[in-house]
Amino acid sequence: MTHVVVNGPATWNTVVRVAELPEPVPHMVLASAHHDGLGGTSAGKARTLAALGVPTTLATTLGDDEHAERVLTALRPRAGAAPLTVLSRPAVAGRTERHVNLVSDDGDRLSVYLELPTAPPADDALRDLVRSADAAVLDLATSSRELLSVARAAHVPVWCDVHDDDGIGDHQRAFVAAADVLLVSDARLADPGAYLSAAVAGGASLAVCTRGARGAIARDADGWWEVGPADVGPVLDAEGAGDAFLAGLLRAVLAGEPRARTLAEAAATAGLAVTHVGLGAPLATVQDVARLAATVRVARVE
């Protein structure tokens, strides 16, 4: 049976909605809404993969506090979903990762880290799990770095989401170099096309740049793809859209779908994700994604 390992953060966050991110001067801001809930890029990917029918193990770091219990409760798969196993390594200081995220009406985010736990080194069980996976999603985290070489040596496809990489900073370079499939947003890229071309020239089989409401562009060994956005109506919460995009893409690739279909399903999964508030909201099914993917425009471009 197909099995995916996702390594990286699962967090318990406070999300505060504001009209716009505050200027760095003393003043008062009124929130339009706020909630506490599941966060973390790896939690989002793992939960979506399971909802789409892909058996998944999330390897993460949790404390021994009440927030860890909340994270684990939120990660329990719903009826009809594939198994989602949480391999929890104890945080060195015993505290679960937590953020306060200020999110503006236009989707910009300011994250204040309240707790950033240190993970213990990977043990043999985790390394063996990565070696036996059909794909390893290794998110931006210190705990993922040592697993990059483990997956590569075992010829396990490495999927990396480098978020708003600018193509210059040191932190993301090892992930970009190791990725068989690379996902990035255009938020800080001066030349997304050049970035994707460099990734494919460096060994990636597919590199994708998401562009929010403008869809995405992708590069593989055969050339370029343009992916339109999924038409889902009003966007209620753009957080987690990139995680959903990767999960939808991975599910379709594992299912052996042709490239155009995989990209359409990725856009559809991301589109459905933004119609709910928070990672704890109900997730799309494979059938939901398939229906919406049929309406997504994907085309080869010169």
Side-chain angles (χ1 to χ4, degrees), residues 2 37 44 80 97 101 122 135 140 149 156 178 184 188 206 237 266 270-271 278 289:
T2 300
E97 185 169 337
N101 294 338
L140 288 175
S149 59
V156 173
V184 67
R188 300 173 65 199
L206 175 66
D237 186 356
V289 170

Side-chain angles (χ1 to χ4, degrees), residues 35-62:
H35 72 271
D36 292 347
L38 179 68
T41 185
S42 302
K45 293 181 179 73
R47 192 168 178 270
T48 304
L49 282 165
L52 295 178
V54 180
T56 302
T57 296
L58 170 62
T60 192
T61 303
L62 296 175

Side-chain angles (χ1 to χ4, degrees), residues 237-301:
D237 186 356
E239 284 199 285
D243 300 329
F245 188 104
L246 185 144
L249 180 65
L250 178 50
R251 190 221 70 85
V253 167
L254 291 173
E257 299 287 356
R259 181 75 78 208
R261 180 66 184 187
T262 64
L263 292 167
E265 289 199 14
T269 309
L272 291 167
V274 304
T275 63
H276 299 287
V277 175
L279 291 186
L283 293 174
T285 65
V286 174
Q287 292 76 21
D288 296 330
V289 170
R291 284 191 291 269
L292 184 57
T295 70
V296 174
R297 181 184 58 82
V298 179
R300 273 287 190 192
V301 294

Side-chain angles (χ1 to χ4, degrees):
M1 180 181 290
T2 300
H3 179 254
V4 170
V5 174
V6 181
N7 186 83
T11 68
W12 193 255
N13 294 345
T14 297
V15 179
V16 181
R17 304 279 168 178
V18 293
E20 58 186 16
L21 295 185
E23 295 291 331
V25 295
H27 67 294
M28 183 185 75
V29 174
L30 290 175
S32 58
H34 62 88
H35 72 271
D36 292 347
L38 179 68
T41 185
S42 302
K45 293 181 179 73
R47 192 168 178 270
T48 304
L49 282 165
L52 295 178
V54 180
T56 302
T57 296
L58 170 62
T60 192
T61 303
L62 296 175
D64 56 4
D65 51 17
E66 68 277 13
H67 303 299
E69 292 300 321
R70 292 168 179 157
V71 168
L72 292 171
T73 297
L75 285 169
R76 290 174 185 161
R78 70 181 181 190
L84 172 54
T85 303
V86 179
L87 178 62
S88 173
R89 291 178 289 167
V92 171
R95 305 296 296 171
T96 298
E97 185 169 337
R98 294 190 64 213
H99 312 162
V100 172
N101 294 338
L102 302 184
V103 181
S104 67
D105 289 344
D106 60 6
D108 287 340
R109 181 178 64 185
L110 171 64
S111 293
V112 180
Y113 280 59
L114 304 181
E115 301 282 354
L116 184 58
T118 300
D123 56 17
D124 289 341
L126 178 54
R127 294 190 190 95
D128 288 344
L129 190 65
V130 169
R131 293 186 185 106
S132 65
D134 293 283
V137 181
L138 302 178
D139 277 326
L140 288 175
T142 301
S143 62
S144 290
R145 287 185 177 274
E146 61 185 307
L147 299 176
L148 294 171
S149 59
V150 172
R152 296 289 293 181
H155 304 291
V156 173
V158 174
W159 289 59
C160 292
D161 177 3
V162 291
H163 302 285
D164 59 350
D165 183 21
D166 62 3
I168 300 171
D170 291 337
H171 181 61
Q172 296 91 343
R173 303 283 67 77
F175 293 87
V176 173
D180 293 291
V181 178
L182 181 68
L183 185 68
V184 67
S185 83
D186 69 347
R188 300 173 65 199
L189 287 178
D191 189 342
Y195 182 99
L196 299 185
S197 292
V200 172
S205 62
L206 175 66
V208 183
C209 179
T210 57
R211 305 188 294 176
R214 294 181 295 130
I217 57 172
R219 179 79 162 89
D220 60 17
D222 297 323
W224 292 94
W225 294 92
E226 185 169 1
V227 185
D231 185 7
V232 292
V235 173
L236 297 184
D237 186 356
E239 284 199 285
D243 300 329
F245 188 104
L246 185 144
L249 180 65
L250 178 50
R251 190 221 70 85
V253 167
L254 291 173
E257 299 287 356
R259 181 75 78 208
R261 180 66 184 187
T262 64
L263 292 167
E265 289 199 14
T269 309
L272 291 167
V274 304
T275 63
H276 299 287
V277 175
L279 291 186
L283 293 174
T285 65
V286 174
Q287 292 76 21
D288 296 330
V289 170
R291 284 191 291 269
L292 184 57
T295 70
V296 174
R297 181 184 58 82
V298 179
R300 273 287 190 192
V301 294
E302 296 296 330

